[in-house]
Amino acid sequence: MTETSFDVKTIRRDFPILNREVNGKPLVYLDNAATSQTPQQVIDVIVDYYQNYNANIHRGVHSLSQEATDAYEAARIKIQKHFNIAKSHEVIFTSGTTHGINLVANGFSSFIKEGDEILVSAMEHHSNIVPWQMLAERTGAVLKVIPMNQNGELVMEEFYALLSNKTKLVFCNHISNALGTINPIEEIIHAAHNIGAAVLVDGAQAAPHIKADLQALNVDFYTISAHKVCGPTGVGMLYGKEEWLKKLPPYQGGGEMIAEVTFEKTTYADLPHKFEAGTPNICGGIGFGAALDYMNRIGFENIASYEDELLQYATEQLLAIEGLKIYGTAKNKTSVISFNIQDIHPYDIGTILDKLGIAVRTGHHCAQPIMDFYQIPGTVRASFCFYNTKEEVDILVKGVERAKNMLL
Amino acid sequence: MTIEKIQDEIVDEFSMFDDWMQRYEYMIELGKSLPLIDEQYKTDDNIIKGCQSKVWVHAELDGDKLVFTADSDAIITKGIIAILIRAFSNQKPHEIIDASTGFIDEIGLKEHLSPTRANGLVSMVKQLKLYAVAYQTQLN
């Protein structure tokens, strides 16, 4: 294993929360797949907004409104550049990934008819299953599942077998939140396009690790949440190809998404405002942009390389614990380790780890079909970020051993 | 022994431990020694709603006293239900209905549980009392 020159100690100074104690022990935060922590640089931007230019955007004639509008739209441009999106109006601000998926699923009611097929991967979390089930119920479409193998990898032969001229939509996560698998989305997008189907990729887990080039991917829709990339909660991004966004009907009605309203008829605003009804999360959007700036300063290649090191180290250390089994052993995976020890309930391990100051996620991770596949109630999930250290991995391993000794 | 005395006993036992890891160890031991529910009663009807892990509770009358048995797929939860059963089982239904649950606060159980587990604890207490109400109606 090659050591990177990544200076984690310096980086950790940016995250004030990492200095706190939990249950009398130094915090070891390993629940990054649920939400990442926020650096001081982003906190400062949020504070600056509320202290100096808090105002509603787009419609105000006064200076504060203009400043807020400029900062919000600048954030949209930052997102556009980060993901190499062709046009800034293809960036829709949402409240998060779930909102983005629901927006598309609702809009597709106009294009899906009874008997059409929509394909979902077997390793989705509920946010990328339920909206499509609801679409299928509304339209009479058929939901089909792309299966996965025991390693937590999609069975691509089965995917190709499921594709047909009935397939209208394929949706898949870029990285699985429960298993860490990096899915072959380039191949999926290419194959789906060959038969004329559209593809939505849930990029929520990928965004903190991979700087996706959405033009190169040629994906139709891509969604992420800011709070997974060191930004604030309650804000996210939906990318949609212009041709699709023009075709999709508005998801919500209200201010900002209109061109003209009379009691007889309403005409809608142009993109992106057509999908941004009401006052948005202005401060969140600005913070989102600042978070991408922060991560880009560190560099995604550095982040990926360091997190791979952590993943490899943590995997080796955890597997040395007798009886520990990791779920999700894909060849191509990122810094998520989902595990159980014999028949100890994951909640029990999580509870003991919490007493030791270690924050992990336990349960089904909003991905119950994956747990059903493995026939387990859930897992303990340790998910790493670039501010975690090998020393923290050692603390986790000791904590897991202690929990095991107590619980068995 | 009255419910009150049993609860005092439990409070005394927990006060012997210096920190919460020791208390957890004790709860786990209690969970391991819990008289298990008969397999036939591990049904969906007997699952307590509100718990993140599964908890089954069965109640039946033995003379004029109500006897609880339980199980859980998580050992700490099993320890919690074991404490509650020790406090409330083998008592007359009306005594269970009237019993205080202040001992839970005294041993600090609720504040040291995660919010989901604390909600589960509240659900467990509620369910034991509901059983008591149902059987009291039967006895009347």
Side-chain angles (χ1 to χ4, degrees), chain A residues 178-197:
Chain A
L179 303 173
T181 307
I182 303 175
N183 282 313
I185 57 162
E186 297 88 343
E187 190 180 341
I188 288 169
I189 294 163
H190 184 71
H193 284 172
N194 276 346
I195 51 112

Side-chain angles (χ1 to χ4, degrees), chain B:
Chain B
M1 202 186 292
T2 64
I3 292 180
E4 204 172 58
K5 281 200 169 164
I6 297 170
Q7 291 184 354
D8 288 345
E9 236 179 45
I10 295 171
V11 172
D12 282 347
E13 285 169 19
F14 270 82
S15 67
M16 288 189 300
F17 301 111
D18 294 332
D19 65 31
W20 262 92
M21 285 309 270
Q22 289 176 335
R23 289 177 193 199
Y24 267 110
E25 278 170 356
Y26 185 56
M27 266 200 293
I28 290 162
E29 286 312 309
L30 290 173
K32 285 177 180 170
S33 59
L34 176 72
L36 289 180
I37 192 170
D38 196 302
E39 277 299 314
Q40 64 170 314
Y41 298 123
K42 277 171 85 167
T43 60
D44 285 351
D45 287 345
N46 283 336
I47 287 182
I48 296 180
K49 291 180 176 67
C51 298
Q52 290 286 323
S53 44
K54 285 183 180 164
V55 184
W56 298 267
V57 173
H58 172 68
E60 61 185 27
L61 275 178
D62 181 8
D64 61 350
K65 290 183 176 171
L66 196 52
V67 176
F68 294 111
T69 49
D71 197 3
S72 172
D73 56 352
I75 194 71
I76 294 173
T77 312
K78 213 162 153 179
I80 295 167
I81 192 71
I83 292 167
L84 297 179
I85 283 183
R86 187 170 146 201
F88 294 111
S89 193
N90 276 308
Q91 304 290 339
K92 291 176 180 168
H94 73 88
E95 290 166 344
I96 298 169
I97 296 165
D98 296 338
S100 151
T101 54
F103 81 108
I104 293 169
D105 293 328
E106 281 184 62
I107 59 177
L109 195 53
K110 211 153 48 178
E111 65 183 284
H112 285 279
L113 292 171
S114 66
T116 48
R117 277 211 152 109
N119 287 342
L121 171 65
V122 170
S123 301
M124 287 182 220
V125 173
K126 202 172 154 190
Q127 189 59 41
L128 297 186
K129 291 223 170 203
L130 279 173
Y131 273 124
V133 170
Y135 279 96
Q136 184 60 48
T137 315
Q138 234 181 66
L139 286 172
N140 289 342

Side-chain angles (χ1 to χ4, degrees), chain A residues 57-305:
Chain A
I57 54 172
H58 291 140
R59 291 174 294 272
V61 293
H62 57 85
S63 299
L64 255 55
S65 174
Q66 193 54 53
E67 285 176 32
T69 304
D70 290 348
Y72 190 68
E73 290 305 325
R76 196 190 304 273
I77 304 292
K78 284 176 189 176
I79 297 166
Q80 179 200 354
K81 288 187 175 156
H82 179 82
F83 288 103
N84 190 28
I85 290 167
K87 294 157 186 164
S88 65
H89 60 245
E90 291 175 320
V91 175
I92 310 296
F93 277 114
T94 62
S95 66
T97 303
T98 303
H99 179 195
I101 295 168
N102 275 281
L103 190 158
V104 178
N106 270 274
F108 258 83
S109 299
S110 312
F111 310 118
I112 298 283
K113 61 179 190 309
E114 194 175 346
D116 283 346
E117 291 179 356
I118 42 187
L119 304 189
V120 55
S121 98
M123 65 177 83
E124 297 309 307
H125 67 129
H126 301 158
S127 292
N128 207 18
I129 298 173
V130 181
W132 307 108
Q133 280 177 332
M134 291 161 74
L135 171 67
E137 279 168 18
R138 279 197 303 275
T139 59
V142 181
L143 196 69
K144 293 197 166 177
V145 180
I146 310 162
M148 66 177 190
N149 63 23
Q150 285 293 321
N151 296 333
E153 295 164 316
L154 291 178
V155 184
M156 293 304 282
E157 301 79 32
E158 299 272 351
F159 165 62
Y160 284 107
L162 286 169
L163 285 176
S164 76
N165 58 7
K166 288 184 185 170
T167 313
K168 298 295 175 223
L169 255 173
V170 178
F171 41 98
C172 175
N173 52 37
H174 196 160
I175 292 179
S176 157
N177 72 320
L179 303 173
T181 307
I182 303 175
N183 282 313
I185 57 162
E186 297 88 343
E187 190 180 341
I188 288 169
I189 294 163
H190 184 71
H193 284 172
N194 276 346
I195 51 112
V199 181
L200 179 141
V201 171
D202 169 356
Q205 295 297 330
H209 309 286
I210 296 169
K211 191 171 179 175
D213 180 331
L214 300 189
Q215 285 190 82
L217 277 173
N218 195 23
V219 67
D220 300 284
F221 301 100
Y222 196 90
T223 63
I224 77 156
S225 297
H227 69 96
K228 311 271 194 201
V229 287
C230 301
T233 56
V235 66
M237 177 279 286
L238 168 70
Y239 159 77
K241 276 185 184 167
E242 184 182 41
E243 60 190 270
W244 274 116
L245 293 178
K246 280 188 169 170
K247 275 194 276 187
L248 288 182
Y251 173 47
Q252 292 174 317
E256 195 58 36
M257 56 76 73
I258 56 96
E260 196 175 338
V261 177
T262 67
F263 281 111
E264 286 72 39
K265 185 171 172 59
T266 294
T267 53
Y268 304 126
D270 290 333
L271 293 172
H273 306 299
K274 174 178 151 186
F275 294 107
E276 294 181 353
T279 299
N281 183 350
I282 302 163
C283 174
I286 295 167
F288 187 178
L292 290 180
D293 282 344
Y294 177 82
M295 292 193 69
N296 278 310
R297 276 198 296 275
I298 295 173
F300 274 76
E301 279 184 16
N302 293 332
I303 289 171
S305 161

